[in-house]
Amino acid sequence: MATPSSADDNHPPSLSTLLKKDGFIIIPSLLTPSELTTLRAAASKLTALSRAGAWPHIRTVGKQFPPWPSSPSPSGIWGIQHLLHPSLPLPQADRQAFQNLYFSPRILSIASQLLLAPAPGTEDNGKEDVLVMELCNMLVRPSTPFALRWHRDDIPWSASAVDEEARLDITKPIHHTQWNLALYDDDSLIVVPGSHARARTQAERSADPFADDMPGQIKVQLTAGDVAFYDNNILHRGVYDSAKERMTLHGSVGHVDGSRERARNVLQHGVGEWVEQCDFGGLEEGVRERAEGMRERLVRMGRENGDVGFSLSE
Ligand SMILES: O=C(O)CCC(=O)C(=O)O
């Protein structure tokens, strides 16, 4: 399991080195107990409202990729979208808890370390004003058993090995990072470590899309309060236990050089329709300015990229 603990205590590998090697890293105990309590309270209220059909931005059981219907299917929901949406039907304190978390200096410092890694041979680790606001969603326990097929988030399963290699070149700068922050212990995410950096093997190509025994697969084990950062083009799937509580915040942060591929990844979720109405006035000074800058760069990305379509379909 990749954790930021060191192979050599004098020269611990950087977070970006670990992420480039395995495709994911786990940062234990990012949240304090009091933050965990506050976020669980907000998350529980939003989950109840979403299951009852009072929040239309949901992921419905039975459908893996966006767009999703706006009412829960009879088999329930497995995710809730847009936790930063200005119309989220929650008291201000709960909405603030999600904003505080998404823009928290701890999350953004890790994102900066991953996205602004120094170019080989330089000491320069860039400037923070290239971070872009992206997604802040939540993955929840479905009420009936449900599983996602193996996928990469932004490369179709039908891609040739040549196309996969062109997209997965890890010598190129990283332009996004995705994270899962568990509010309850969570082992639903299954990944093949290292697969973010190579085309699929013949065994992976010919495997059943719902295979429970993909060679090399591991469960990403998160204890409540831990966060996993990962490359969303790692081979992965979700397998959900309807009897086990799950409320895992699911976000991403981008880099301004992310171009059309990142624009599609983010804007296919509909964020462009509401991001300009978000009120970040409740954030602490310093954090607020950074949030405004990240929002501004997302708006610009939307303007420059027009209709982006969807990454995947089923
Ligand atoms: O449930 C998870 O953690 C994985 C979700 C996922 O693979 C996705 O949203 O594409």
Side-chain angles (χ1 to χ4, degrees):
M1 178 80 50
T3 72
S5 65
S6 58
D8 162 357
D9 286 338
N10 293 324
H11 300 95
S14 67
L15 295 185
S16 65
T17 302
L18 289 168
L19 188 112
K20 282 194 172 192
K21 174 174 163 286
D22 292 328
F24 74 103
I25 54 173
I26 296 173
I27 313 286
S29 306
L30 185 103
L31 297 180
T32 64
S34 132
E35 287 169 330
L36 191 56
T37 305
T38 304
L39 283 164
R40 276 185 180 175
S44 304
K45 284 180 220 168
L46 184 60
T47 304
L49 286 167
S50 303
R51 287 197 178 119
W55 180 242
H57 304 292
I58 49 179
R59 298 183 180 199
T60 50
V61 167
K63 188 164 192 324
Q64 176 160 346
F65 301 114
W68 288 280
S70 52
S71 319
S73 69
S75 343
I77 61 172
W78 63 279
I80 300 168
Q81 303 289 96
H82 305 329
L83 273 56
L84 303 181
H85 195 297
S87 308
L88 204 68
L90 290 181
Q92 173 58 22
D94 295 320
R95 295 149 56 123
Q96 194 62 55
F98 293 138
Q99 281 192 13
N100 291 347
L101 186 270
Y102 182 80
F103 293 109
S104 102
R106 272 166 286 160
I107 291 276
L108 295 184
S109 149
I110 299 163
S112 296
Q113 290 174 60
L114 298 174
L115 298 178
L116 308 178
T122 73
E123 293 295 310
D124 175 18
N125 75 342
K127 298 192 180 77
E128 271 176 9
D129 62 6
V130 292
L131 295 188
V132 180
M133 176 179 163
E134 290 199 346
L135 305 171
C136 185
N137 299 325
M138 177 161 61
L139 302 172
V140 298
R141 173 183 61 78
S143 43
T144 50
F146 180 53
L148 306 184
R149 54 182 293 152
W150 287 100
H151 65 288
R152 306 188 194 272
D153 279 359
D154 202 34
I155 303 180
W157 205 245
S158 56
S160 67
V162 171
D163 288 347
E164 284 192 301
E165 270 163 21
R167 288 290 311 280
L168 300 173
D169 178 356
I170 55 159
T171 62
K172 290 187 189 158
I174 303 178
H175 285 145
H176 78 280
T177 185
Q178 186 153 305
W179 48 261
N180 271 14
L181 192 154
L183 301 182
Y184 292 86
D185 295 358
D186 186 7
D187 63 358
S188 312
L189 174 65
I190 302 177
V191 302
V192 178
S195 59
H196 64 299
R198 56 163 179 78
R200 278 165 294 163
T201 62
Q202 201 44 54
E204 288 163 350
R205 280 187 169 272
S206 48
D208 180 315
F210 292 91
D212 287 326
D213 55 355
M214 192 67 96
Q217 73 170 48
I218 60 156
K219 285 184 173 190
V220 176
Q221 309 266 3
L222 299 177
T223 300
D226 294 354
V227 62
F229 279 77
Y230 60 106
D231 181 326
N232 72 355
N233 279 327
I234 195 169
L235 284 178
H236 68 284
R237 68 188 296 237
V239 178
Y240 307 122
D241 178 349
S242 55
K244 190 174 161 198
E245 192 55 282
R246 184 182 204 215
M247 290 181 198
T248 288
L249 302 175
H250 180 61
S252 67
V253 178
H255 186 289
V256 75
D257 291 343
S259 76
R260 191 169 176 82
E261 271 149 23
R262 275 322 290 163
R264 183 177 54 223
N265 231 267
V266 177
L267 298 168
Q268 66 178 336
H269 290 270
V271 179
E273 286 153 31
W274 50 264
V275 68
E276 286 181 274
Q277 281 87 57
C278 287
D279 178 2
F280 294 147
L283 288 169
E284 269 177 33
E285 228 180 296
V287 175
R288 185 169 62 240
E289 286 71 31
R290 191 192 241 175
E292 293 292 1
M294 289 177 66
R295 181 231 311 260
E296 174 51 34
R297 286 184 281 282
L298 174 62
V299 169
R300 204 179 325 135
M301 187 166 87
R303 248 187 247 124
E304 286 164 5
N305 285 285
D307 183 5
V308 289
F310 291 93
S311 302
L312 304 174
S313 57
E314 63 182 353

